[in-house]
Amino acid sequence: MRAVHQRLAVSTTALVLATGGLVTGTAHAVSAAHPATAKPAVSTLAASCSQDYLPLPDPNCTPGALNPSVSQSTIYSTICVSGWTTTIRPSTSYTNNLKAQGIVAYGYADTNMSDYEEDHFIPLELGGAPKDPANLWPEPRYIGSQTSYTKDGVETKLKNAVCAGKVQLADAQDAIATDWTTALATLGL
């Protein structure tokens, strides 16, 4: 596997949440290869985030994070179980607080919350961390010819390929973290 796609385990201690509270945890941050200078660092939503990477999030603000409960050996009791993501999806009140802060951090001129999806950069259906702010960002619903719904379709196709044994989980995670717009082609799907 290319070094640029390797995961880096990071203990995400002291994450600043939208509520202003401090949390400790051990989600695994992903070194998203967009660009190679991405830092798997502790995420503070007070940081200034760049829109230069759209339709991807700024890798310094949203590097992605993995759910340690999901691995290749657990996919048939987690992501491949119909409805499993609803059991771990965070509440709207939690994600709306992050979305409001993220809209400011990304410097979006449009501050209408309904114009954004608080997106899991590494999707829940591919083992993304559900509540880690390093894995959540305000994805504009429309970015040029791309939409947040387009990404949702890619996520589903990748999960289906993983569950059918066509693609390894780590490869799907790496492909979507590198660039969701090319993930299917990268994996030959």
Side-chain angles (χ1 to χ4, degrees):
M1 184 181 298
R2 296 184 305 228
V4 70
H5 291 156
Q6 292 177 338
R7 271 174 207 63
L8 302 174
V10 174
S11 175
T12 54
T13 56
L15 291 173
V16 178
L17 297 178
T19 60
L22 217 44
V23 172
T24 59
T26 56
H28 300 281
V30 173
S31 177
H34 66 279
T37 59
K39 297 180 206 172
V42 173
S43 172
T44 59
L45 293 177
S48 177
C49 305
S50 175
Q51 296 177 40
D52 292 346
Y53 303 94
L54 290 174
L56 305 172
D58 180 331
N60 295 307
C61 295
T62 313
L66 299 175
N67 181 342
S69 299
V70 179
S71 66
Q72 188 66 42
S73 65
T74 66
I75 62 172
Y76 296 109
S77 62
T78 57
I79 66 169
C80 297
V81 174
S82 180
W84 180 78
T85 59
T86 61
T87 68
I88 62 163
R89 186 171 304 282
S91 69
T92 304
S93 62
Y94 177 81
T95 58
N96 277 346
N97 285 332
L98 288 178
K99 185 193 301 189
Q101 282 194 356
I103 288 169
V104 172
Y106 272 87
Y108 293 132
D110 175 4
T111 58
N112 183 348
M113 296 234 326
S114 66
D115 290 339
Y116 302 90
E117 173 184 332
E118 188 65 3
D119 184 57
H120 288 91
F121 180 48
I122 307 298
L124 298 179
E125 59 195 328
L126 289 175
K131 294 181 84 172
D132 190 331
N135 197 42
L136 287 155
W137 75 294
E139 178 186 23
R141 292 212 185 269
Y142 299 96
I143 308 166
S145 64
Q146 302 288 346
T147 72
S148 61
Y149 307 108
T150 308
K151 181 178 183 268
D152 294 343
V154 170
E155 295 168 358
T156 300
K157 287 178 183 176
L158 288 173
K159 183 204 78 155
N160 290 341
V162 168
C163 294
K166 295 177 181 176
V167 174
Q168 293 291 300
L169 176 64
D171 293 336
Q173 291 169 334
D174 287 339
I176 204 154
T178 300
D179 186 342
W180 71 263
T181 67
T182 61
L184 296 174
T186 297
L187 295 171
L189 299 172

